[in-house]
Amino acid sequence: MVWLVVALFSDDPPLIGWVLPLTATLIAAWGAWRAGTPQTADMPRRYFWRYVAVGVVLIGCGSVSNGYDYLHGGQYTSQVSALTSAIYLCGLLVMMVGLLRIPGTRRSRAEWTRFGLDIATVIVTVLTFSWHLLHPKFANGGLGGTWSALAVVGGGFICVFAFVKVAFTGTGAIDRRSLHLLALTGAVGAGGGAFASLVAAFLDLANGPVLVPVVCLVLCLAVDRQQRAAFQAPPPSRPLSGRPSVMPYAAVLFTGTLLLVTAQDGAEDILAVAVGAVTVTVLVATRQMMALRDNAALVSRLDARLYELGEYQQQLNHQATHDELTGLANRAVLNRDTTEALAADPAQVGVVLIDLDNFKIINDELGHAVGDALLTAVAARISANVPAGTTVARLGGDEYVLLLRTGSTAEHEAALIRLTEQLRRPVSACGHDLVIEASIGLAPAGAGDTAEELLRRADVAMYEAKSQGRGRYVVYAPDMDQRGAEQARIAADLRVGLDTGQLHLLYQPIVAIADGSVYGVEALVRWTHPQRGPVGPVDFIPAAERTGLIVPLGAWILGEACRQAVRWQQELGDRAPRTVSVNVSARQLREAGFAADVAAVLLQTGLAPDRLTVEVTETAVFDDGTAMAELHAIKALGVTIALDDFGTGHSSLGLLRTCPVDTLKVDKSFVDNVTQGGQHAVVAEALIHISNGLQLRAVAEGVETAEQADALYRLGYRYAQGYHYARPLPAAEVGQRLSQPASRLSHSG
């Protein structure tokens, strides 16, 4: 500043002024380099400030060249050579390159294009104004000096725009206020150069000694700001197009105004100003066309996104209210619809629970893919065979629920009959034609009923259908709750009884009708409750079946019977029963690995396999792949298989060919009236012929009189059991009778 005052009032400005620009640039370059050292900056910040340092050094070199121009030939002049302008311009460009290499917000190609158009708009606007203002002043200096000055001024304003633009959007690496100060350095340099050129006719004053130190001072302030902000969190970056820019509109306004003024004054450079104004208008129009196109694309993408979000919301709503596998309604929808139907007319409402029988076997044997395909196919068949307006839901697993909104209970039953028939048709699943059955419970609604209560009642009725033999429907009745509660209490007590030794076995002899000799015995479980006293199998076996307790109970019976058979062999030798029969439930046979459990018991007890007979019912093995496979595995062990209560189940004669049966036990219902002859004895006679033809041992059950025994013997039966021979006996009493040398059982026994 002191030098400037002296230079203004001196004919010959002191030459020491040309030392000031070089000194200032060296100080500024040293400060910028320090701001980019590893100790004070991360990698992006370090590279940027080193670019700035290099740019400042180039500006210092330009000031040296400017001093040479000033002193060249001994004539003081404010004109700068093309070389000096080029050096100044290179310094500015190096700073811009460093600025644009900062890793800030990731920009798209369109954003970079708009940024380039903005730069071009600034260049044309600045050059237009600079040409109009500076061209007359450089008329004596030649065209080269004019363009050199224009280039430096234009480059300075471009730097101003670039630094302000990047500072506005944020970089995440450089302090925003520091960038504002750097933009001010460009403004000082470019604006000061233009102003100095305007007054050059009045003051023969060089630009370098005046402007370069001021520019370097502002740059040092920017460095100081950066160093003080080095340990602060950087501000977040913002997209380049985050806010509308007023610069293009201002450029059109200024150049248009300049063109009007030039035309009014009749200036000789009106053509150059007009070209500049038109060029600016074209650039701005191009930028706006791109913006409109980008906005249209953005709106289109937004519409598509909103459409996708709408579809996604619909999918979420559907998933929240429907089963993912079958597409049926879920429990939430079922509860809502049931509540609404009950509020409208409860007298016509019925809730149906459908459970597929033996679905677990299909999953285990054919895989979950086949199981899922079966569930989907069954869901489609149910939906296609229910009355209109019925809500079909899936609760999970193999359970489906129907909400019948119209009709009486009789009409609901008729619909279930039709549905049951449709469900029995083969279902195709992953190339497998599967025959299924379903146990169905119907709960008619009444005044005051709730959705939860109706579903509970339907569940109770469904389990009642299973206990009656599966593949059927049952209508809920209030006494089912009492039976269910009683069975639950019995099952709980039975679990305790099994653990505390309250159970014991009785054995009923199987005898040869001809001489009454004991061929084998059948093990029968009995329970003596501490408070209730004796509890019959008819009471506790169904409870065990329903709760699954039949599996551990059956395992205990099997082990106890085998151990007793071994003891008889040790005590009685040849008089011991030839075989001991154990009843096996359908639930046990459905347990994969049951045959292995039988083999383990035989190994533990030491009983020979041919001394054990496993008795099963027709229902337990009919159309049950797992049960049949387990029976074949048991047969392979050498164990005898007996088909119990034959003729009372599905009564399929084909079962005698597929099931590995050794003994056919004819049910008591065919024995009761055998003495009457005629049609009463037809079934018993037919069964003995079937047994003989298939080389099966036939055992008549429930023989209570000598006359029945004689009639059965005449028909061809050779083995029987029943009260005529003996009631079920404790093991000790059986041993006592068999220990007698000539023990025979007859009607007197």
Side-chain angles (χ1 to χ4, degrees):
M1 294 299 102
V2 171
W3 179 88
L4 177 60
V5 172
V6 173
L8 288 176
F9 296 97
S10 173
D11 293 334
D12 297 324
L15 296 181
I16 193 174
W18 288 104
V19 179
L20 298 178
L22 181 61
T23 304
T25 54
L26 292 177
I27 294 174
W30 175 72
W33 192 267
R34 281 194 62 214
T37 55
Q39 291 79 11
T40 60
D42 54 21
M43 192 66 68
R45 189 180 305 161
R46 183 188 320 163
Y47 286 153
F48 168 74
W49 284 107
R50 289 184 177 180
Y51 271 104
V52 172
V54 173
V56 173
V57 170
L58 288 173
I59 291 175
C61 295
S63 68
V64 173
S65 178
N66 193 5
Y68 176 79
D69 295 337
Y70 185 80
L71 301 174
H72 179 64
Q75 275 187 325
Y76 301 131
T77 176
S78 59
Q79 295 289 333
V80 293
S81 65
L83 176 62
T84 300
S85 298
I87 297 174
Y88 278 139
L89 193 59
C90 286
L92 296 175
L93 292 178
V94 168
M95 292 185 185
M96 280 191 60
V97 170
L99 176 69
L100 297 179
R101 290 194 62 183
I102 297 174
T105 302
R106 188 174 182 178
R107 298 171 176 88
S108 65
R109 180 180 299 178
E111 289 176 330
W112 278 113
T113 303
R114 286 195 297 271
F115 188 72
L117 290 172
D118 288 343
I119 292 291
T121 302
V122 171
I123 292 174
V124 175
T125 302
V126 170
L127 290 180
T128 301
F129 273 85
S130 299
W131 175 270
H132 178 72
L133 296 174
L134 300 180
H135 176 67
K137 311 299 185 293
F138 289 113
N140 298 328
L143 191 61
T146 302
W147 283 112
S148 299
L150 291 177
V152 174
V153 173
F157 278 109
I158 291 172
C159 283
V160 172
F161 173 78
F163 278 99
V164 171
K165 189 81 171 182
V166 175
F168 175 74
T169 60
T171 64
I174 310 302
D175 181 70
R176 191 171 292 157
R177 294 181 181 177
S178 182
L179 289 176
H180 289 156
L181 290 172
L182 287 174
L184 182 60
T185 63
V188 170
F195 178 78
S197 298
L198 290 176
V199 301
F202 309 101
L203 294 173
D204 190 13
L205 187 64
N207 299 339
V210 178
L211 297 179
V212 173
V214 177
V215 168
C216 292
L217 173 63
V218 178
L219 192 147
C220 287
L221 294 176
V223 170
D224 178 68
R225 171 63 195 178
Q226 178 64 70
Q227 289 179 328
R228 284 189 288 112
F231 300 101
Q232 299 176 3
S237 299
R238 289 174 288 182
L240 195 60
S241 56
R243 295 181 181 178
S245 175
V246 298
M247 186 278 302
Y249 308 104
V252 172
L253 176 63
F254 292 156
T255 55
T257 302
L258 178 63
L259 178 60
L260 292 176
V261 173
T262 305
Q264 183 177 4
D265 295 342
E268 60 180 9
D269 61 344
I270 185 173
L271 179 61
V273 174
V275 171
V278 171
T279 303
V280 168
T281 303
V282 171
L283 290 173
V284 173
T286 303
R287 185 190 190 282
Q288 295 310 107
M289 289 176 62
M290 288 188 61
L292 290 175
R293 185 189 63 187
D294 293 343
N295 289 339
L298 179 61
V299 171
S300 178
R301 290 196 299 270
L302 181 60
D303 289 341
R305 183 57 177 166
L306 290 174
Y307 179 77
E308 293 176 358
L309 289 175
E311 286 192 331
Y312 182 63
Q313 184 64 40
Q314 291 179 357
Q315 293 177 0
L316 289 179
N317 292 337
H318 187 273
Q319 291 175 2
T321 56
H322 290 77
D323 175 59
E324 183 177 0
L325 176 63
T326 63
L328 299 179
N330 60 12
R331 185 186 292 270
V333 175
L334 175 68
N335 289 339
R336 181 198 66 197
D337 290 356
T338 305
T339 302
E340 293 175 355
L342 290 172
D345 188 359
Q348 298 193 61
V349 175
V351 172
V352 178
L353 181 62
I354 304 172
D355 184 87
L356 302 185
D357 296 331
N358 301 323
F359 174 74
K360 183 177 182 298
I361 298 171
I362 296 174
N363 250 358
D364 294 342
E365 293 188 353
L366 301 180
H368 290 283
V370 177
D372 289 347
L374 175 62
L375 291 174
T376 303
V378 170
R381 182 168 294 182
I382 292 175
S383 300
N385 291 278
V386 294
T390 299
T391 296
V392 183
R394 177 175 177 239
L395 296 186
D398 58 344
E399 288 187 337
Y400 304 87
V401 179
L402 308 180
L403 170 62
L404 303 175
R405 290 184 172 87
T406 59
S408 62
T409 301
E411 292 173 325
H412 294 168
E413 290 188 57
L416 293 184
I417 292 174
R418 294 191 297 270
L419 178 60
T420 303
E421 293 174 352
Q422 291 296 323
L423 289 177
R424 285 173 178 165
R425 292 170 45 214
V427 178
S428 179
C430 295
H432 297 272
D433 289 331
L434 304 174
V435 178
I436 61 169
E437 288 186 330
S439 297
I440 304 175
L442 168 61
D449 287 338
T450 63
E452 293 78 7
E453 177 62 18
L454 284 178
L455 186 60
R456 186 196 68 79
R457 293 177 185 174
D459 184 65
V460 171
M462 183 272 293
Y463 275 107
E464 183 68 21
K466 282 187 178 295
S467 66
Q468 292 182 13
R470 305 172 184 268
R472 65 190 67 196
Y473 78 90
V474 169
V475 181
Y476 170 82
D479 61 343
M480 292 180 185
D481 282 333
Q482 299 176 359
R483 290 200 301 271
E486 179 63 20
Q487 285 189 348
R489 288 192 294 270
I490 290 175
D493 290 346
L494 182 60
R495 175 76 266 181
V496 175
L498 186 59
D499 295 337
T500 57
Q502 298 175 13
L503 299 167
H504 62 278
L505 295 183
L506 299 179
Y507 300 89
Q508 186 172 36
I510 301 172
V511 304
I513 298 177
D515 58 5
S517 61
V518 177
Y519 172 78
V521 294
E522 178 182 356
L524 303 171
V525 64
R526 296 294 185 266
W527 178 22
T528 304
H529 192 276
Q531 286 78 36
R532 301 182 186 180
V535 181
V538 70
D539 294 321
F540 68 82
I541 292 297
E545 287 275 5
R546 181 170 182 175
T547 60
L549 193 58
I550 192 67
V551 175
L553 176 61
W556 178 83
I557 294 172
L558 176 64
E560 185 65 21
C562 289
R563 282 187 289 270
Q564 183 57 54
V566 171
R567 285 194 291 267
W568 280 330
Q569 290 178 23
Q570 294 171 349
E571 296 171 359
L572 303 175
D574 294 339
R575 295 192 184 95
R578 177 70 183 80
T579 180
V580 60
S581 298
V582 176
N583 290 282
V584 174
S585 71
R587 181 68 177 269
Q588 289 176 273
L589 287 176
R590 289 199 299 270
E591 294 288 327
F594 177 70
D597 295 339
V598 173
V601 171
L602 292 174
L603 181 63
Q604 292 171 2
T605 60
L607 182 66
D610 61 349
R611 292 276 186 169
L612 174 64
T613 297
V614 170
E615 293 192 11
V616 297
T617 62
E618 298 170 74
T619 304
V621 296
F622 187 80
D623 197 25
D624 194 325
T626 300
M628 195 67 74
E630 292 297 323
L631 282 182
H632 280 283
I634 292 172
K635 177 68 175 178
L637 297 174
V639 176
T640 302
I641 307 296
L643 199 57
D644 196 14
D645 299 332
F646 187 79
T648 61
H650 292 280
S651 301
S652 172
L653 296 178
L655 187 64
L656 298 177
R657 293 187 297 105
T658 58
C659 185
V661 178
D662 300 293
T663 300
L664 197 66
K665 301 190 74 173
V666 179
D667 188 70
K668 181 180 183 297
S669 61
F670 303 122
V671 173
D672 288 341
N673 299 319
V674 72
T675 57
Q676 299 180 19
Q679 61 180 0
H680 299 286
V682 170
V683 176
E685 185 176 0
L687 292 178
I688 192 60
H689 288 308
I690 292 172
S691 299
N692 293 336
L694 296 177
Q695 297 182 346
L696 303 177
R697 179 180 291 108
V699 177
E701 296 184 294
V703 178
E704 297 182 349
T705 65
E707 289 78 9
Q708 290 175 341
D710 292 340
L712 290 168
Y713 190 80
R714 288 193 300 270
L715 290 176
Y717 286 89
R718 296 298 176 260
Y719 297 94
Q721 72 179 102
Y723 286 2
H724 171 63
Y725 299 102
R727 293 177 177 273
L729 303 172
E733 190 171 341
V734 172
Q736 291 175 1
R737 293 197 179 193
L738 294 179
S739 63
Q740 299 174 7
S743 70
R744 294 290 185 270
L745 298 180
S746 65
H747 65 279
S748 61

